């Protein structure tokens, strides 16, 4: 009798990128020095509760540009 052993191991890689410019920030957690993580309003759910979304940014310039873009969108 022959016995076969199979190993279906997979390696998953998660890459985090800047929400503004798309640069790679690191793995699952933000690994790049100087990177910024902030939670901003993201509308309301069907029950009227405020929702937030985490934004990952590679630095101060991208954070400033990202916030300015959001502010201009809100103005109309």
């Amino acid at each position: 009798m022959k016995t076969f052993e199979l190993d279906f191991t997979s390696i998953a890689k998660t890459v985090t990128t800047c929400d503004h410019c798309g640069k790679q920030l690191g793995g699952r957690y933000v690994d790049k020095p100087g990177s910024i993580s902030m939670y901003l309003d993201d509308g309301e759910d069907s029950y009227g509760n405020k929702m937030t979304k985490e934004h990952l940014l590679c630095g101060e310039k991208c954070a400033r540009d990202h916030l300015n873009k959001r502010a201009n969108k809100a103005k109309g």
Side-chain angles (χ1 to χ4, degrees), residues 11-12 15-16 18-19 24 42 44 50 52 55 57 59 73 76:
I11 297 173
V15 176
T16 304
C18 176
D19 288 334
Q24 184 173 329
D42 194 36
E44 295 180 349
K50 286 189 175 186
T52 60
H55 293 264
L57 303 155
K73 225 186 252 189

Side-chain angles (χ1 to χ4, degrees), residues 14-20 22-39 54-60 62:
T14 303
V15 176
T16 304
T17 58
C18 176
D19 288 334
H20 185 70
K23 282 185 186 175
Q24 184 173 329
L25 299 176
R28 181 163 185 226
Y29 298 99
V30 181
D31 296 331
K32 183 180 175 194
S35 60
I36 298 170
S37 170
M38 65 176 86
Y39 287 88
E54 182 180 21
H55 293 264
L56 302 170
L57 303 155
C58 61
E60 290 181 29
C62 276

